[in-house]
Amino acid sequence: MKVTEGYMNFLDYQTYYRIVGEKSDKAPLLLLHGGPGSTHNYFELFDELALDGRQIIMYDQLGCGLSSMPDKKELWHAETWLDELANLRNHLQLDELHLLGQSWGGMLLIKYMCDLKPKGIKSIILSSTLSSSALWKKEQHRLIKLMSQEDQEQIAYAEKYNDFNQPEYLAANDRFMLKHAGGIPNELSKEPLRRKKNRGEQAYLYAWGPNEFSPMGTLKGFDYTKQLKEIKVPTLITSGSDDLSTPLVSKTMFDEIENAKWELFGNSRHMPFVDEEELYMTILKKWLNEND
């Protein structure tokens, strides 16, 4: 498969992108990664979709990965990444396309659809994401109540005193993320998952917060639930049964989007395309072909 890498000038910085496959009569799929600051790495699992004759495009959002990582706290808000997305689409001349956003990337996709009302969108895929930071926080704390009493107490202490550095809290948070986010890659994991990430820690901290259940940054007030009805394009919602994006979070989006389908993966956490890769790719390929 042909892989093309490049950079786009954005603000005073550069945004890295990676294109797999050739242009064809099938609309390309543009992938928006999570975080903020998670990098595109895991999306390289989607390369196989290009074997179906569809161009797959991914990029590292400003503040992480192979893109510029400026030490500027004032950049880390949704408008920065929204402008970057709009500029990238124009730069790559993506007149018609499908869009998939995972986790924070799904929040960005929702904002893009509601705020900019872009033309030429064949379909969107909201992968393990959310429309409301407040609902997300509420659901994470419900999941915390399923943990051991000791872990609950360590997390409660960290939140009460705004101290997220104690080893006992860090261990509890690791157990929470293992249960609901994903496992630690090992020698059996595929290379993109094992590859060291250039994480955007500043972007994550100032846009979201110190962990998944304490949104304290610029995205704290994110709530597009009422605007979801403005999304009219075919929408596929995907999530896992043990996902940070709980069934309630996913159903909230499903209930508000008129032309939506929801696939719940029964053996997955926050990345069904990792935990149930073959099934996820089969469903996604079918969805894209049906909505070209």
Side-chain angles (χ1 to χ4, degrees):
M1 282 183 295
K2 179 181 179 182
V3 177
T4 303
E5 298 176 285
Y7 286 88
M8 173 191 74
N9 292 328
F10 176 63
L11 301 177
D12 295 324
Y13 313 108
Q14 288 195 312
T15 297
Y16 165 84
Y17 60 85
R18 179 177 181 272
I19 303 172
V20 185
E22 307 270 7
K23 287 186 177 181
S24 70
D25 57 351
K26 294 186 175 185
L29 172 64
L30 177 61
L31 304 168
L32 314 179
H33 67 69
S38 179
T39 82
H40 81 279
N41 293 18
Y42 56 18
F43 279 150
E44 292 187 25
L45 298 182
F46 288 66
D47 283 6
E48 68 174 68
L49 294 175
L51 295 173
D52 194 38
R54 186 183 308 280
Q55 200 171 60
I56 309 299
I57 304 167
M58 59 202 75
Y59 69 106
D60 286 332
Q61 296 160 22
L62 187 68
C64 70
L66 300 175
S67 293
S68 301
M69 297 179 65
D71 182 12
K72 287 195 172 182
K73 300 170 186 176
E74 64 270 21
L75 284 172
W76 311 130
H77 54 82
E79 294 298 333
T80 294
W81 292 299
L82 182 66
D83 290 346
E84 181 184 39
L85 170 57
N87 275 269
L88 183 70
R89 184 181 175 191
N90 182 64
H91 179 77
L92 297 178
Q93 299 180 352
L94 302 175
D95 297 328
E96 292 189 329
L97 75 162
H98 302 271
L99 282 158
L100 181 151
Q102 192 266 345
S103 195
W104 144 250
M107 299 168 68
L108 177 59
L109 177 49
I110 289 170
K111 182 175 178 64
Y112 180 62
M113 296 300 296
C114 294
D115 286 6
L116 301 188
K117 297 178 171 54
K119 304 295 185 182
I121 308 299
K122 293 285 191 176
S123 79
I124 65 172
I125 301 94
L126 299 175
S127 179
S128 298
T129 189
L130 59 141
S131 60
S132 165
S133 294
L135 177 60
W136 181 271
K137 179 180 179 179
K138 183 178 180 180
E139 280 293 274
Q140 304 317 299
H141 283 83
R142 181 181 63 80
L143 294 177
I144 289 170
K145 291 178 182 177
L146 303 177
M147 302 179 73
S148 71
Q149 187 63 34
E150 181 181 356
D151 282 350
Q152 291 184 55
E153 289 173 358
Q154 294 299 334
I155 290 171
Y157 180 92
E159 292 189 308
K160 180 177 180 179
Y161 294 101
N162 197 30
D163 181 359
F164 300 98
N165 297 307
Q166 297 302 314
E168 295 83 2
Y169 154 75
L170 293 172
N173 186 54
D174 285 345
R175 285 187 282 272
F176 179 82
M177 295 298 283
L178 180 62
K179 173 68 175 174
H180 300 293
I184 299 172
N186 56 41
E187 66 276 4
L188 299 178
S189 303
K190 291 190 173 180
E191 192 278 332
L193 303 176
R194 288 185 279 111
R195 188 186 315 148
K196 183 176 174 58
K197 282 186 177 183
N198 196 15
R199 293 181 181 274
E201 294 182 3
Q202 186 184 89
Y204 181 80
L205 179 63
Y206 285 92
W208 185 256
N211 54 46
E212 281 302 309
F213 41 82
S214 302
M216 298 164 61
T218 57
L219 293 171
K220 177 182 179 180
F222 186 95
D223 191 346
Y224 274 72
T225 303
K226 291 182 179 179
Q227 289 104 300
L228 290 175
K229 63 181 180 295
E230 300 171 11
I231 298 176
K232 303 299 183 183
V233 303
T235 301
L236 176 64
I237 297 166
T238 65
S239 61
S241 58
D242 287 320
D243 203 331
L244 295 167
S245 180
T246 66
L248 176 58
V249 171
S250 294
K251 187 177 185 300
T252 297
M253 297 183 291
F254 176 71
D255 287 346
E256 294 295 327
I257 300 175
E258 179 181 325
N259 193 9
K261 179 181 180 181
W262 177 21
E263 291 282 354
L264 180 63
F265 291 81
N267 296 296
S268 289
R269 293 161 291 182
H270 199 44
M271 294 182 287
F273 51 83
V274 174
D275 289 342
E276 297 180 73
E277 182 181 354
E278 184 176 352
L279 177 59
Y280 192 96
M281 295 304 170
T282 298
I283 290 171
L284 180 56
K285 186 184 297 183
K286 183 174 184 287
W287 170 265
L288 294 170
N289 286 334
E290 287 176 348
N291 288 283
D292 266 333

